[in-house]
Amino acid sequence: MFYYYYGEYWILLPAILLTLYASFKVNSTFRKYSKVENSRGITGYDCARKILDSNGLSDVEIQRVEGSMTDHYDPRSRVLRLSDTVFNVDSIAAVSVAAHECGHAIQHQQSYKPLIIRNTIVPAVSLASSFSWVLILLGLFFSFSNLITVGIIFFAATVVFQLITLPVEFNASSRALRIISDMGIVYGGEEKAAKKVLSAAALTYVAAALTSILQLLRLILISRDN
């Protein structure tokens, strides 16, 4: 069983390398532009409040959350949470991240289909992902191929989720860049810097999707060998 489980790891090498690069890129880019103030002195909170209010989302609350890069929009409670490194910071990185999360709030308001689909399948994907490895390991241990197949099908739900996440994140970033440019929150060279921040963050989602796809391929090969 352990030979099958640990075998075929070479398949994941491209994803591992991309993940390492994406992590380095997003951290280094965020650190770099966290030290560069935007010319208007607008904080992440101010940026988010301006964008939300101008898009008819005055009822969306903005809260501070501990940590770095822990920013997110919660569609269930309609709350936008900004991290310590974004909330009260007037850097280009801060307004870029805040605008990105506002992009998700606008997607929610406009019932952007990929976002709705992603939010809808989250509970099922979480459950399927947890059970998939249990089924696969049991199938390998007892040499029960049907159990492995079911586990792989369950794991495929994770791949679907990651693929749906890509357009959601790309769209939120493109909205963010357009909005902060149109509203004059950034301009000139600052817009190019904001694009670098958002592009670096997007790369992490590409790496996650590639990892899921290659992991699925690896599991299929293990099942075939078994």
Side-chain angles (χ1 to χ4, degrees):
M1 178 188 73
F2 293 105
Y3 168 77
Y4 288 123
Y5 180 71
Y6 290 107
E8 310 292 357
Y9 257 116
W10 59 269
I11 293 174
L12 298 178
L13 183 59
I16 293 172
L17 293 176
L18 180 58
T19 299
L20 291 173
Y21 174 73
S23 178
F24 164 77
K25 189 69 175 177
V26 70
N27 282 299
S28 61
T29 304
F30 187 82
R31 279 198 304 270
K32 177 180 179 180
Y33 291 107
S34 287
K35 299 174 183 177
V36 181
E37 296 180 1
N38 60 76
S39 56
R40 294 191 59 187
I42 297 176
T43 66
Y45 171 84
D46 293 334
C47 173
R49 191 70 275 163
K50 286 176 180 292
I51 293 174
L52 292 174
D53 292 348
S54 66
N55 283 275
L57 292 169
S58 304
D59 58 324
V60 173
E61 183 183 357
I62 303 174
Q63 296 178 352
R64 187 169 188 157
V65 62
E66 292 183 358
S68 176
M69 298 186 193
T70 50
D71 315 84
H72 63 279
Y73 169 68
D74 184 350
R76 293 168 299 180
S77 56
R78 289 175 58 78
V79 171
L80 192 149
R81 298 186 175 94
L82 300 178
S83 65
D84 292 331
T85 53
V86 170
F87 189 89
N88 200 35
V89 180
D90 61 354
S91 68
I92 291 177
V95 297
S96 300
V97 171
H100 175 87
E101 298 309 328
C102 288
H104 287 311
I106 296 171
Q107 287 175 337
H108 187 211
Q109 175 197 45
Q110 298 178 352
S111 298
Y112 180 62
K113 284 188 178 180
L115 178 71
I116 300 303
I117 294 172
R118 188 182 72 170
N119 291 343
T120 301
I121 67 174
V122 165
V125 169
S126 179
L127 189 63
S129 178
S130 299
F131 274 107
S132 64
W133 291 105
V134 174
L135 295 174
I136 290 169
L137 290 175
L138 286 175
L140 290 172
F141 186 81
F142 293 108
S143 297
F144 191 8
S145 60
N146 288 340
L147 202 58
I148 298 174
T149 301
V150 174
I152 290 174
I153 292 172
F154 277 19
F155 182 80
T158 302
V159 177
V160 172
F161 178 80
Q162 295 292 354
L163 291 176
I164 292 175
T165 294
L166 290 178
V168 172
E169 298 300 331
F170 290 159
N171 179 265
S173 288
S174 64
R175 287 174 188 263
L177 193 60
R178 184 176 65 253
I179 290 171
I180 58 179
S181 178
D182 291 345
M183 294 182 67
I185 294 173
V186 298
Y187 55 88
E190 292 178 339
E191 185 177 344
K192 185 179 293 186
K195 186 175 182 179
K196 289 181 179 180
V197 173
L198 295 171
S199 295
L203 189 60
T204 62
Y205 295 102
V206 175
L210 179 61
T211 300
S212 294
I213 292 170
L214 294 182
Q215 184 70 274
L216 178 61
L217 176 60
R218 172 175 170 265
L219 291 174
I220 291 172
L221 291 176
I222 290 174
S223 174
R224 183 195 63 184
D225 293 341
N226 188 58

